Amino acid sequence: MKIAGVFVLLFLAGQMTVFAQTRIHVSDGETDMPVAYANVYYPDTKTGTTTDTLGQFEVNFTTPKVLVQISALGYQTYMDYVNLGENRQTIYLQPSTHELQEVVVTENTSRLQGENVMNVEKLDLTNGTVQGVSLAEKLASVAGIDNLSTGAGIGKPVIRGLSGNRIAVFSQGIRLENQQWGDEHGLGLDENGYEQVEIIKGPASLLYGSDALGGVLYFVDERYAKNNSIQAGFNSEFNGNSSGFRNAGTFKLSKKRLHWNLFGGYTAHADYRDGSSRWVPNSRFNTGNLKTALGYVGNKFMTSLKYSFLHEKYGLTETEEQDGFYKNSRKLLVPYQDLTTHIISSENTVFFDDDSKLKIDAGYIFNNRKELENSREEAGLNMNLHTFSYNAKWYSPRWNRRWTLTAGSQGMAQDNSNHGEEILIPDAKTYDFGVFAMTDFYYAQKAYWQFGLRFDTRHITGETLDRQYYSFNFSTGIYQPVTENLSFRLNLSSGFRAPNMYELLSNGVHHGTNRYETGNPGLSTENSYQIDASLNYNVRHIEFFVNPYFNYIRNYIYLQPTADRIDNVPVFSYAQNDAFLYGGEAGFHFHPHPLDWLHIKGSYGGAFGQDTRHNDLALMPSQKINAMLSASFSSGKILKKFTVYMQNQYSFAQNRIAGNELPTPGYNLLNAGIIVEFGTESQPVQLNISANNLLNETYYDHLSRYKANGIYNIGRSFNVKISVPMVFNP
C-alpha cells in the first residue's frame, strides 16, 4: 500500500508540472526529405514514439538534455543527447545499407553495440529466425555461446567454455540467484517479457562483481508502449517432435507519465524423439510465468516496480529404454525438478541539472528448488534461497567534452535453508559488497580509452564454515575507428569468483548427476585475466569481424572423480589448479546491392582450455560453424512481407577431452523456415513455419549431459508459430 501511495503521489505531482515541449524534425542526410515513421526511443526512460508523416516528433522533458535513439530502415542508427532549449531543431539520418544497431545498456553508459570497449553481443528474442526449444538453445545461436543441456528443456548457457557460477545473469536490473551451481540446473528465466539479451564475453567483474568471471547475460525488458497508446498481443506455437505447445500474451498501457506492462505464458512438452525416432522417456517439462512492470516517468525522476513469477517442472531421464505407455503424456514422472522463482525489483533513476544521473536498482529473489525421487510426491531435496541485492551507479556529465566518470556500489545478502529429507548443502549465509569507479576519456570524436578499478568482499558463514574473501579487479581498453569503415577494439580485464556454498559445503548424493559430491572448505578465490581484441569492417556489400581472446584463470575450480564410492555411488570432489582458455569468433554478413532482399551470414566459434599440466579441461564445447541464407520480399497491402531462410550448423568432433569424459563425433544440423507477415494496416499477423534438424541427424552434442547414458539429442521437428500484435491509440 505504501508503494502504491508513492506512485499515486508521483503521478499527481507530475500532472501539475508543465512540460517543456521541443519539436524535432528527422530528415534524410542526403536529400533533406522527412523520414516518416522512424522509431524514436529514450533509453533512460524506456519510453518512445514514432515520427509522423512529416518526420516530426515532440520531446516532453524539462531536463536540459535527453538521450535519443532514432532508427529507420535504410539509415544509420542515430544516438546522441539532444538539447531541449530550442523549440525546433533537425536531426539528419545518414543513409546506410547496414543492419540497424541498437543501444547497449550493459556497459557503463548507453552506446550503440559496435562502439563498446567490451565485447558485447546482442540476441534479438523477437527475431523469428532464432529457433530453439529452450532459451539457452536460442542463446547458442550466437558465436562463442554454447548450451550445456539436460534434455530438450534444461539448458545452461556457456560463454567461451565457462558456465554456471562463472556467468552472471541479470534480470530486472538485479543479479539472478537461483541455485545455478548444478550442471543440470537451467537458466531459470522465461523469454516472455524480454526483447533482447546482451552478452558480455569475458571478465566483467568491474561492473558486475563476483560470478562475472566468464561473462554476463543481461536480459533487457521489453520497452513500454509508445506514448499514449495501448498495445496487446498473443502468440501460440507448436513443436511437432515433442507435441509441445507454448502460449503467451502481452498487454501494455502508456498514458502520459504512467506506464504498465503485463506478460503471461504457459509451455508444456511431452517426451521428445531423437534422430533414430526413439522416444526419450521423462524428457517432458512444463513452465508457467507471469511478469508485470509499473513505471512512472517524471521531469527529473523515473521509477519502475517489477514483479515476475516462474514455475518450472522438468523430468529427468535415467534410462534410454522406451515405454510406449506414457511417451505422449505431459504429466511429470519421477525423478523430476520442481522450481519456483519470484523476483521483485525497483529500478530508479534521478536526473540532475548538470546532466549527471543516479541509478539505483534494488530487489528480492525467492527461489525454491525441489527434486522428487519417488512417487510419494515428497521432495527428497527441498532448498529455499532468499536473496536481497542492490546496484547503485552515479554517471557524471562529460567534463571538457572528454571525460566521464561512473562510480557505484553493489551488495547482496543471501540465505540458503534446507527443508527436505536430504541435505546437499548445509544452511549458510552469503554477504557481498563491492565499490568501483570507471572513467572514459574521449581523445577523438568516437575514439575513447576506458579504465576502471573495483574492490569486493564476500563473507560466507554456516554451521561448519566462516570464510571471508577479498578481491581487487581492473579493466582497461580502447575503441578506435581506424577508417570510416574499419574499427578496432582492445580490452584487458580481470575478474574473480569466490567459491560458492555448494563447492565449499556439499556433502551428499546429487541425484540429478548420479554422483556423491563433496565440497572443499579450503578452496581459494578464482581470478581471471583476459585480453580480448576485435577488428570490424563494414562496407556497402559486406560486414566482417574477427575476435580472438586469451584468458588465464588462477585457482580454477573443477569437479574431479575419486576412487571412492558411497552407497554404490561414485564420489566426486572439488579441486583447484591454474588454467588457461583461448580461442575466438569470426563472422561475416554479405548483402549485395541492389539485391536488398538477399542476406548471407556465417560465423565461427571455438574455445579451448587446459590446465598448467597441459591436461584438457572438462566440458569444453566443440568448434562450430554456422551459416545462414535468407531472402526477404515486401509485397502488397495484404501480404506485407515474405521471408525464407535456411541455416546450417556444423559441429566439429571433440577429441580434446578431460580424463573423465568421452569424445564426441562431429555432426551437421540443417534448419529451414518461412516467415509470412500479412493482414491489414491496423491488424498485422505473423506466421512462422520452421523445420529444425531437417535431415533428422542422430547425434550427441558434446555438452549434452545425457550423452554418457547413450541418449541422443532431439531429432527432426516441424514447428508452427503465429503472432498477433495489436496497437490502439485512444
Side-chain angles (χ1 to χ4, degrees), residues 38-89:
N39 288 310
V40 180
Y41 180 57
Y42 310 113
D44 286 332
T45 63
K46 297 181 176 63
T47 59
T49 184
T50 57
T51 59
D52 58 21
T53 56
L54 300 177
Q56 303 178 126
F57 69 97
E58 288 186 350
V59 185
N60 298 317
F61 293 96
T62 61
T63 53
K65 296 180 180 179
V66 63
L67 184 63
V68 177
Q69 174 189 315
I70 304 175
S71 57
L73 191 63
Y75 295 92
Q76 294 180 17
T77 301
Y78 173 91
M79 192 175 76
D80 203 349
Y81 284 91
V82 174
N83 294 315
L84 302 183
E86 305 173 12
N87 292 330
R88 175 188 172 95
Q89 53 186 294

Side-chain angles (χ1 to χ4, degrees), residues 101-115:
Q101 289 195 74
E102 291 291 330
V103 64
V104 170
V105 300
T106 49
E107 261 273 20
N108 66 316
T109 187
S110 296
R111 289 191 181 93
L112 295 179
Q113 182 183 353
E115 299 175 0

Side-chain angles (χ1 to χ4, degrees), residues 305-484:
L305 181 64
K306 300 180 179 181
Y307 167 75
S308 65
F309 165 79
L310 179 63
H311 187 209
E312 307 166 278
K313 289 185 177 182
Y314 296 101
L316 298 173
T317 300
E318 295 185 332
T319 176
E320 62 174 333
E321 296 179 1
Q322 301 182 45
D323 190 337
F325 178 75
Y326 59 79
K327 62 188 178 183
N328 286 316
S329 174
R330 292 178 175 83
K331 182 180 179 180
L332 272 294
L333 303 173
V334 292
Y336 71 89
Q337 297 179 0
D338 188 327
L339 315 172
T340 302
T341 305
H342 299 266
I343 305 176
I344 303 174
S345 66
S346 176
E347 301 180 33
N348 308 277
T349 305
V350 180
F351 305 95
F352 300 101
D353 291 336
D354 62 354
D355 294 339
S356 64
K357 62 182 178 182
L358 176 66
K359 191 174 189 301
I360 301 176
D361 301 332
Y364 164 74
I365 301 175
F366 170 75
N367 177 259
N368 173 252
R369 175 174 293 276
K370 296 178 182 178
E371 292 187 4
L372 293 92
E373 298 133 23
N374 56 60
S375 57
R376 293 180 299 163
E377 293 295 326
E378 295 180 4
L381 188 68
N382 186 352
M383 304 169 63
N384 287 342
L385 189 69
H386 301 266
T387 305
F388 294 89
S389 63
Y390 75 88
N391 301 317
K393 295 180 183 179
W394 175 75
Y395 302 84
S396 78
R398 185 177 294 192
W399 295 311
N400 298 325
R401 299 184 179 181
R402 290 185 178 273
W403 293 93
T404 62
L405 175 68
T406 304
S409 174
Q410 294 171 324
M412 181 186 78
Q414 188 175 87
D415 177 78
N416 176 73
S417 59
N418 290 272
H419 305 275
E421 298 176 357
E422 302 175 7
I423 297 179
L424 185 59
I425 307 174
D427 296 353
K429 300 179 186 296
T430 302
Y431 303 95
D432 281 2
F433 175 75
V435 290
F436 73 93
M438 175 179 284
T439 184
D440 292 346
F441 173 66
Y442 293 82
Y443 54 88
Q445 183 176 3
K446 287 189 175 181
Y448 68 99
W449 167 72
Q450 186 179 89
F451 178 76
L453 292 172
R454 180 180 178 117
F455 169 76
D456 281 273
T457 178
R458 168 168 285 191
H459 184 202
I460 301 178
T461 180
E463 294 181 1
T464 61
L465 183 75
D466 192 339
R467 294 287 303 273
Q468 190 90 21
Y469 301 91
Y470 303 95
S471 182
F472 286 94
N473 288 279
F474 71 92
S475 179
T476 184
I478 62 168
Y479 169 75
Q480 175 66 60
V482 181
T483 65
E484 182 181 357

Side-chain angles (χ1 to χ4, degrees), residues 247-284:
N247 297 315
T250 301
F251 179 84
K252 299 181 182 182
L253 171 64
S254 176
K255 185 65 174 177
K256 293 184 178 179
R257 297 177 177 236
L258 204 60
H259 310 273
W260 180 44
N261 285 355
L262 178 65
F263 309 92
Y266 182 76
T267 302
H269 286 259
D271 297 337
Y272 76 81
R273 287 170 293 176
D274 64 20
S276 301
S277 297
R278 294 185 302 177
W279 295 92
V280 178
N282 207 29
S283 59
R284 61 198 67 179

